[in-house]
Coordinates of all heavy atoms in Angstrom, one line a residue:
R1 N -37.4 36.6 -26.5 CA -37.0 38.0 -26.8 C -38.0 39.0 -26.0 O -39.2 38.8 -26.1 CB -37.1 38.3 -28.2 CG -36.0 37.6 -29.1 CD -36.3 37.8 -30.6 NE -36.7 39.0 -31.0 CZ -35.8 40.0 -31.4 NH1 -34.5 39.9 -31.4 NH2 -36.3 41.2 -31.8
G2 N -37.4 40.0 -25.4 CA -38.2 41.0 -24.7 C -37.5 41.9 -23.9 O -36.2 41.9 -23.8
R3 N -38.2 42.7 -23.1 CA -37.6 43.7 -22.2 C -37.7 43.1 -20.9 O -38.7 42.6 -20.3 CB -38.5 44.9 -22.2 CG -37.7 46.1 -21.7 CD -38.4 47.4 -22.1 NE -38.3 47.7 -23.5 CZ -37.3 48.1 -24.2 NH1 -36.2 48.2 -23.7 NH2 -37.4 48.3 -25.6
L4 N -36.5 43.1 -20.1 CA -36.4 42.7 -18.7 C -37.1 43.7 -17.8 O -36.9 44.8 -17.7 CB -35.0 42.5 -18.3 CG -34.7 42.0 -16.9 CD1 -35.2 40.6 -16.7 CD2 -33.2 42.1 -16.6
L5 N -38.2 43.2 -17.2 CA -38.9 44.0 -16.2 C -38.3 44.0 -14.8 O -38.2 45.0 -14.1 CB -40.4 43.7 -16.1 CG -41.2 43.8 -17.5 CD1 -42.7 43.5 -17.3 CD2 -41.1 45.2 -17.9
E6 N -38.1 42.8 -14.4 CA -37.4 42.6 -13.1 C -36.8 41.3 -12.9 O -37.1 40.4 -13.6 CB -38.6 42.8 -12.0 CG -39.5 41.6 -11.8 CD -40.3 41.8 -10.6 OE1 -41.2 42.6 -10.6 OE2 -40.3 40.9 -9.7
V7 N -35.9 41.3 -11.9 CA -35.3 40.0 -11.6 C -35.6 39.8 -10.1 O -36.0 40.7 -9.4 CB -33.7 40.1 -11.6 CG1 -33.2 40.2 -13.1 CG2 -33.0 41.2 -10.9
N8 N -35.6 38.6 -9.7 CA -36.1 38.2 -8.3 C -34.9 38.3 -7.4 O -34.0 37.4 -7.3 CB -36.6 36.8 -8.3 CG -37.2 36.4 -7.1 OD1 -37.1 37.2 -6.0 ND2 -37.6 35.2 -6.9
E9 N -34.8 39.5 -6.6 CA -33.7 39.6 -5.7 C -33.8 38.8 -4.4 O -32.9 38.6 -3.7 CB -33.6 41.1 -5.3 CG -33.2 42.0 -6.5 CD -33.0 43.5 -6.2 OE1 -32.5 43.7 -5.1 OE2 -33.4 44.3 -7.1
N10 N -35.1 38.2 -4.2 CA -35.3 37.4 -3.0 C -34.5 36.1 -3.0 O -34.1 35.7 -2.0 CB -36.8 37.1 -2.9 CG -37.6 38.3 -2.6 OD1 -37.2 39.2 -2.0 ND2 -38.9 38.2 -3.0
I11 N -34.2 35.6 -4.3 CA -33.4 34.4 -4.4 C -31.9 34.7 -4.0 O -31.2 33.6 -3.7 CB -33.5 33.6 -5.7 CG1 -33.0 34.5 -6.9 CG2 -35.0 33.2 -5.9 CD1 -33.1 33.7 -8.2
L12 N -31.5 35.9 -4.0 CA -30.1 36.2 -3.6 C -30.0 36.0 -2.1 O -29.0 35.5 -1.6 CB -29.8 37.6 -4.0 CG -29.8 38.0 -5.5 CD1 -29.5 39.4 -5.7 CD2 -28.8 37.1 -6.1
Q13 N -31.0 36.4 -1.3 CA -31.0 36.3 0.1 C -31.3 34.8 0.6 O -30.7 34.3 1.5 CB -31.9 37.2 0.8 CG -31.5 38.6 1.0 CD -31.5 39.4 -0.3 OE1 -32.6 39.4 -1.0 NE2 -30.5 40.1 -0.6
D14 N -32.2 34.2 -0.2 CA -32.6 32.8 0.3 C -32.6 32.0 -1.1 O -33.7 31.8 -1.7 CB -34.0 32.8 0.8 CG -34.4 31.4 1.3 OD1 -33.6 30.4 1.2 OD2 -35.5 31.3 1.8
P15 N -31.4 31.4 -1.6 CA -31.3 30.6 -2.8 C -32.2 29.4 -2.8 O -32.6 28.9 -3.9 CB -29.8 30.3 -2.8 CG -29.2 31.2 -1.9 CD -30.1 31.6 -1.0
R16 N -32.5 28.9 -1.6 CA -33.4 27.7 -1.5 C -34.8 27.9 -2.1 O -35.5 26.9 -2.4 CB -33.5 27.2 -0.1 CG -32.1 26.6 0.4 CD -32.2 26.3 1.8 NE -32.5 27.5 2.5 CZ -32.8 27.6 3.8 NH1 -32.8 26.5 4.6 NH2 -33.0 28.7 4.4
L17 N -35.2 29.2 -2.2 CA -36.5 29.5 -2.8 C -36.6 28.9 -4.2 O -37.6 28.5 -4.7 CB -36.8 31.0 -2.8 CG -37.4 31.6 -1.6 CD1 -37.3 33.1 -1.8 CD2 -38.7 31.1 -1.2
L18 N -35.5 29.1 -4.8 CA -35.3 28.6 -6.3 C -35.7 27.1 -6.4 O -36.2 26.6 -7.4 CB -33.9 28.9 -6.8 CG -33.7 28.9 -8.3 CD1 -34.4 29.9 -9.0 CD2 -32.1 29.1 -8.5
Q19 N -35.2 26.3 -5.4 CA -35.6 24.9 -5.5 C -36.8 24.5 -4.8 O -37.5 23.6 -5.2 CB -34.4 24.2 -4.7 CG -33.1 24.4 -5.4 CD -31.9 23.9 -4.6 OE1 -31.7 24.3 -3.4 NE2 -31.0 23.2 -5.1
R20 N -37.3 25.2 -3.7 CA -38.5 24.9 -3.0 C -39.7 25.3 -3.8 O -40.7 24.7 -3.8 CB -38.5 25.4 -1.6 CG -37.6 24.7 -0.7 CD -37.7 25.2 0.7 NE -37.2 26.5 0.7 CZ -37.3 27.5 1.6 NH1 -37.7 27.1 2.7 NH2 -36.8 28.7 1.5
K21 N -39.7 26.6 -4.3 CA -40.9 27.1 -5.0 C -40.5 27.8 -6.3 O -40.6 28.9 -6.5 CB -41.5 28.2 -4.1 CG -41.9 27.6 -2.8 CD -42.5 28.8 -2.0 CE -43.0 28.2 -0.6 NZ -43.6 29.3 0.2
P22 N -40.0 26.9 -7.3 CA -39.5 27.5 -8.5 C -40.6 28.2 -9.3 O -40.2 29.2 -10.1 CB -39.0 26.3 -9.3 CG -39.7 25.1 -8.7 CD -40.0 25.5 -7.2
S23 N -41.8 27.9 -9.3 CA -42.8 28.5 -10.2 C -43.4 29.7 -9.5 O -44.2 30.5 -10.2 CB -43.9 27.6 -10.5 OG -43.5 26.5 -11.3
T24 N -43.2 30.0 -8.2 CA -43.8 31.1 -7.5 C -42.7 32.0 -7.0 O -42.2 32.8 -7.7 CB -44.8 30.6 -6.4 OG1 -44.1 29.8 -5.5 CG2 -46.0 29.9 -7.0
E25 N -42.4 31.9 -5.7 CA -41.5 32.8 -5.1 C -40.0 32.7 -5.5 O -39.2 33.5 -5.4 CB -41.5 32.7 -3.5 CG -42.9 33.0 -3.0 CD -42.9 32.4 -1.5 OE1 -42.1 32.8 -0.7 OE2 -44.0 31.9 -1.3
G26 N -39.7 31.5 -6.2 CA -38.4 31.3 -6.6 C -38.2 31.4 -8.2 O -37.3 30.9 -8.7
Y27 N -39.0 32.3 -8.7 CA -38.8 32.6 -10.1 C -37.5 33.3 -10.4 O -36.9 33.9 -9.4 CB -39.9 33.4 -10.7 CG -40.0 34.9 -10.2 CD1 -39.4 36.0 -10.9 CD2 -40.6 35.2 -9.0 CE1 -39.5 37.2 -10.4 CE2 -40.6 36.5 -8.5 CZ -40.1 37.5 -9.2 OH -40.1 38.8 -8.7
V28 N -37.0 33.4 -11.6 CA -35.7 34.1 -11.9 C -35.9 35.5 -12.3 O -35.2 36.4 -11.8 CB -34.9 33.2 -12.9 CG1 -33.6 33.9 -13.4 CG2 -34.6 31.9 -12.4

């Protein structure tokens, strides 16, 4: 539970970030 501060718009342009670097640049 909490307030959404931001979503990672970078994964929209490069979805592979989600798979290659899930804990860093590929966060949700």
Side-chain angles (χ1 to χ4, degrees):
R1 290 172 41 92
R3 195 164 300 282
L4 181 63
L5 296 185
E6 74 175 63
V7 294
N8 185 1
E9 294 184 38
N10 294 330
I11 61 174
L12 297 175
Q13 280 77 44
D14 186 5
R16 292 173 300 173
L17 278 175
L18 197 63
Q19 295 168 312
R20 286 183 299 176
K21 299 179 178 184
S23 295
T24 55
E25 296 167 50
Y27 70 96
V28 176

